[in-house]
Every structure is written in structure tokens, then in C-alpha cells.
């Protein structure tokens, strides 16, 4: 018999038969990846629904300068999102959403720097970069709260629209948007705005909570005692995913 | 004890991970430059198929850098890379299919 068979019934280790990590990643990290794939499906479902609705609505065909809000066609997004805090009435298309994008990318960088510091068991730098990441997350959420508030309250003049009320067509001035009325375009546009940016914002919020937990455990020496900072890496994966989703929301909701 | 000593050495070494940090900042600048270019394009190129195509390509490039570098997927095993990529390819097909469907609905109502 072959020399390496020591126990009856023992077999040579095989890649997919247990006892080996075929993906060379820990259980927790793999599960985070597979959770993120399932979350990808959820976000894709929202964006796919948005794309389908947009393609089934008439687009604005006139000249860009002549664009006005109407529920007869899908709005040009850069004319909807042109407000910036403290600059009331000034048209600055996409500037504020650009700032939000920058904040999220920057917080992704500080997150990956925290992960890198964790690899070196450098507790002070993990704490420092986690704090920056948490600050970035809160700033983004604050910006989003302001943007939602502006979107809900609407412009000073509002938009005169013909809508069906109790079965008859009426003409009325609509200010801002909610789930049934929308001064910027068809009600579906506002619904998608609330659902997509709201679902993303909920993810950012949960990410901030997780980051605070990780910061607390790093600061109290939990990971030093454990001898591994891998939790920073797992939560980092989640945080980068939130940044990734924003990249897609930014393109498909605000740019095109 | 040996373990503690090992960590101590790493804490003192400022050069440890320097290359990795350089790669992180490089990725940051790439993402920032692409996003700035997107702004430039948003206000210079007229709306149409060309503009949308450029935006989609730039978004995929950004996604490649975030997933590949920040999420480190580029440096994982091939099995893990494909486990993540294959489902995403199906999602891309779903997006295309339902955009065509939306267009068909438009044609049926307004065409």
C-alpha cells in the first residue's frame, strides 16, 4: 500500500472535498462577498425598473435651454438637481451631487487605508482612518437629507400641471414632490428618486453604524487581543460596495 | 510572546505597506479624474447615444477600480473572481432586456 495512507478510509486532500480553502478567503469574508452579490441583485432590480419606466415614457425632445417641468415627459435630471445649500435661486446643475460623490469616494479611500493599517496591526492608524470614514458617512447622509428636503419642498414658483383628481382633469400648481405628486415630471420619477436614493441612503446609514462598532472595538483593543483586524476588512467590503452603488446611481439617475 | 514581538516590529516600520498605500492613492486620483471628466462631458457633449455610451464606459471603469483595488477582488483567486463576475454578467443581460421591453411599451403607447 501507498505510504501516505495512514488511517483506513483516509483519502488524499482534494480541492473541493473539505479541509482546504479553495478561494483562499475566510468564511466571514466569503459570506460578505455573497451577501454583496445578493444586494447587487436588489439594487439592480431598482435600477432595471427605473430604466424600463424611463424608456416607456416620452423623453424631452426640445432644445436644452427651453426645458420646463411637465408631467408629459421624463425630466432632464440636471435641471432637477441644480440647487446647492446657501445659494438659493442660483442654477448650479449637478454641483451638489458632485460634492456628495467626492465625499463618498474620499471615505472609501480612508476605509481602505484603515484596512491597510489593520494588516500591520497598527491600531492608532485604524482608529484615525475609521474616524475619517465615519465622518465622511455622516457628511454624505447630511447632504442627502438636505437634497431630499429640497426635492420635497420644491421651487418657489412650483409647476402648473394638469392632473386627474377624483376622476376629472384639473389644473393646479404643484410644489415639490411626494409619492403621488411631482412638480418636476411624472410621479414615477419622484417615486424612483425616493426609493433608489432612499435604499442607498439606508445602506450608508447601516454602514456608518457598522463602522462605529468597528471603531469602538479597535479602540478598546478587541482586535489586538484577537490578533487579527480582519473585521475591518469585512466591513470595508460593505462600505466600498455602498460607494460602488452610488457610482451607478450617479450615472443612471443624475447624468443620463 | 513571539507573536507580540512580531507586531511590535511592524508598528515601528514606517515602510511597511508603503507600496500598498501608494496604490490606494493612485486609485483615488483615477476615480477623481474620471468623475471630473464626467462633469466636463455632461456640459460639453450634446445629449445622445455617444454621450450615454461614454458615461456607461466610464462607470464600468470606475466600478473596475473600486471592486478590483479597493475591494481587492483583482488579487483574489480566479474561482472567487468568477463567482462574483458571472452573476453580474446575467444582471447586465437583464438590464438590456428590460430596456428593450420599456422601449416596446413606449412604441405600443406612443408609437
Amino acid at each position: 500500500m501507498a505510504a501516505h495512507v495512514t488511517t483506513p478510509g483516509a483519502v488524499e486532500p482534494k480541492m473541493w472535498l473539505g479541509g482546504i480553502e479553495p478561494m483562499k478567503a475566510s468564511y466571514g469574508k466569503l459570506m460578505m462577498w455573497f451577501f454583496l452579490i445578493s444586494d447587487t441583485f436588489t439594487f439592480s432590480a431598482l435600477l432595471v425598473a427605473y430604466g424600463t419606466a424611463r424608456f416607456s415614457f416620452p423623453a424631452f425632445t426640445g432644445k436644452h435651454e427651453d426645458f420646463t417641468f411637465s408631467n408629459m415627459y421624463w425630466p432632464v435630471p440636471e435641471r432637477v438637481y441644480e440647487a446647492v445649500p446657501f445659494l438659493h435661486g442660483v442654477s448650479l446643475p449637478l454641483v451638489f451631487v458632485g460634492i456628495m460623490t467626492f465625499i463618498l469616494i474620499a471615505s472609501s479611500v480612508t476605509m481602505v487605508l484603515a484596512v491597510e493599517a489593520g494588516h500591520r496591526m497598527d491600531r492608532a492608524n485604524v482608529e484615525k482612518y475609521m474616524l475619517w470614514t465615519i465622518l465622511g458617512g455622516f457628511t454624505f447622509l447630511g447632504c442627502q437629507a438636505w437634497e431630499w428636503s429640497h426635492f420635497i419642498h420644491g421651487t418657489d414658483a412650483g409647476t402648473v400641471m394638469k392632473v386627474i383628481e377624483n376622476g376629472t382633469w384639473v389644473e393646479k400648481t404643484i410644489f415639490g414632490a411626494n409619492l403621488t405628486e411631482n412638480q418636476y415630471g411624472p410621479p414615477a420619477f419622484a417615486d424612483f428618486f425616493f426609493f433608489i436614493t432612499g435604499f442607498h441612503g439606508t445602506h450608508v446609514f447601516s454602514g456608518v453604524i457598522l463602522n462605529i462598532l468597528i471603531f469602538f472595538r479597535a479602540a478598546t483593543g478587541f482586535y489586538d487581543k484577537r490578533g487579527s483586524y480582519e473585521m475591518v476588512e469585512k466591513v470595508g467590503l460593505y462600505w466600498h460596495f455602498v460607494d460602488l452603488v452610488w457610482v451607478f446611481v450617479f450615472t443612471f439617475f443624475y447624468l443620463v | 510572546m513571539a507573536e507580540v514581538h512580531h507586531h511590535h516590529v511592524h508598528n515601528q516600520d514606517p515602510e511597511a505597506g508603503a507600496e500598498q498605500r501608494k496604490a490606494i492613492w493612485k486609485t483615488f486620483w483615477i476615480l477623481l479624474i474620471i468623475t471630473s471628466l464626467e462633469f466636463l462631458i455632461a456640459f460639453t457633449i450634446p445629449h445622445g447615444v455617444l454621450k450615454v455610451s461614454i458615461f456607461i464606459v466610464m462607470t464600468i471603469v470606475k466600478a473596475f477600480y473600486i471592486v478590483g483595488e479597493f475591494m481587492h477582488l483583482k488579487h483574489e483567486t480566479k474561482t472567487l473572481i468568477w463567482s462574483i463576475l458571472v452573476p453580474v454578467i446575467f444582471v447586465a443581460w437583464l438590464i438590456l432586456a428590460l430596456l428593450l421591453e420599456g422601449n416596446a411599451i413606449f412604441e405600443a403607447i406612443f408609437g
Side-chain angles (χ1 to χ4, degrees):
Chain A
M1 286 303 287
H4 60 263
V5 179
T6 49
T7 355
V11 285
E12 263 188 90
K14 285 212 172 74
M15 187 62 104
W16 297 98
L17 285 181
I20 290 179
E21 288 184 345
M23 294 183 179
K24 293 195 181 67
S26 70
Y27 174 80
K29 234 169 96 173
L30 274 187
M31 290 309 116
M32 180 53 89
W33 268 112
F34 293 136
F35 163 69
L36 293 182
I37 269 292
S38 76
D39 226 15
T40 307
F41 295 155
T42 316
F43 274 109
S44 310
L46 288 170
L47 283 172
V48 163
Y50 176 79
T52 312
R54 185 169 183 168
F55 269 55
S56 60
F57 263 91
F60 174 71
T61 47
K63 275 164 85 184
H64 194 268
E65 309 84 78
D66 303 335
F67 174 80
T68 48
F69 295 136
S70 161
N71 53 1
M72 300 308 289
Y73 46 76
W74 207 258
V76 175
E78 62 191 64
R79 298 298 297 271
V80 178
Y81 309 103
E82 55 175 24
V84 173
F86 312 115
L87 294 169
H88 185 80
V90 185
S91 167
L92 295 162
L94 301 180
V95 167
F96 192 54
V97 73
I99 294 169
M100 286 166 72
T101 306
F102 172 76
I103 290 167
L104 215 52
I105 290 177
S107 84
S108 226
V109 173
T110 54
M111 184 78 229
V112 77
L113 287 169
V115 172
E116 194 273 326
H119 286 156
R120 292 180 283 115
M121 305 286 291
D122 181 351
R123 193 214 282 192
N125 269 315
V126 171
E127 287 172 20
K128 181 178 93 181
Y129 287 124
M130 285 312 291
L131 273 184
W132 278 112
T133 311
I134 292 164
L135 183 72
F138 272 128
T139 314
F140 181 86
L141 285 172
C143 292
Q144 205 171 34
W146 186 90
E147 206 198 9
W148 269 51
S149 162
H150 183 268
F151 189 81
I152 290 167
H153 289 111
T155 57
D156 292 337
T159 309
V160 182
M161 278 177 171
K162 271 180 111 177
V163 291
I164 294 180
E165 237 168 44
N166 299 323
T168 48
W169 285 95
V170 289
E171 203 168 67
K172 61 184 273 191
T173 312
I174 295 170
F175 295 94
N178 53 40
L179 290 177
T180 51
E181 282 185 336
N182 176 12
Q183 78 154 91
Y184 312 100
F189 177 78
D191 297 344
F192 279 113
F193 172 79
F194 289 127
F195 272 87
I196 293 176
T197 65
F199 200 60
H200 176 265
T202 311
H203 275 72
V204 177
F205 182 70
S206 348
V208 171
I209 300 290
L210 288 173
N211 285 345
I212 290 172
L213 188 70
I214 296 299
F215 168 76
F216 180 77
R217 288 191 136 182
T220 50
F222 184 87
Y223 300 124
D224 274 338
K225 256 180 250 151
R226 183 185 270 179
S228 159
Y229 278 77
E230 206 195 37
M231 273 312 287
V232 184
E233 210 173 323
K234 289 175 208 162
V235 172
L237 282 176
Y238 180 77
W239 190 254
H240 298 313
F241 176 76
V242 169
D243 180 28
L244 178 72
V245 169
W246 183 254
V247 164
F248 281 89
V249 171
F250 176 63
T251 303
F252 294 114
F253 212 92
Y254 293 93
L255 282 184
V256 303
Chain B
M1 275 315 280
E3 192 70 0
V4 172
H5 179 70
H6 174 77
H7 298 150
H8 185 70
V9 168
H10 272 251
N11 273 336
Q12 297 302 103
D13 185 7
E15 287 307 303
E19 209 163 297
Q20 226 182 327
R21 286 196 292 275
K22 222 175 120 185
I24 292 167
W25 283 109
K26 195 182 138 199
T27 310
F28 168 73
W29 287 114
I30 291 170
L31 291 174
L32 194 66
I33 289 166
I34 295 175
T35 308
S36 315
L37 279 178
E38 280 179 332
F39 265 85
L40 201 69
I41 290 165
F43 299 112
T44 48
I45 295 181
H47 202 81
V49 179
L50 176 71
K51 190 175 170 182
V52 173
S53 316
I54 293 173
F55 279 149
I56 289 172
V57 170
M58 289 177 115
T59 304
I60 291 170
V61 172
K62 283 208 281 188
F64 173 81
Y65 277 103
I66 291 172
V67 178
E69 293 295 340
F70 285 175
M71 297 172 87
H72 211 251
L73 189 64
K74 221 171 109 186
H75 312 283
E76 302 289 352
T77 60
K78 276 209 169 71
T79 326
L80 182 50
I81 295 175
W82 284 111
S83 307
I84 302 302
L85 274 188
V86 171
V88 173
I89 292 168
F90 284 113
V91 168
W93 162 243
L94 180 69
I95 293 170
L96 184 66
L98 276 153
L99 288 185
L100 294 172
E101 185 68 23
N103 200 46
I105 294 170
F106 174 80
E107 291 294 330
I109 301 173
F110 303 98

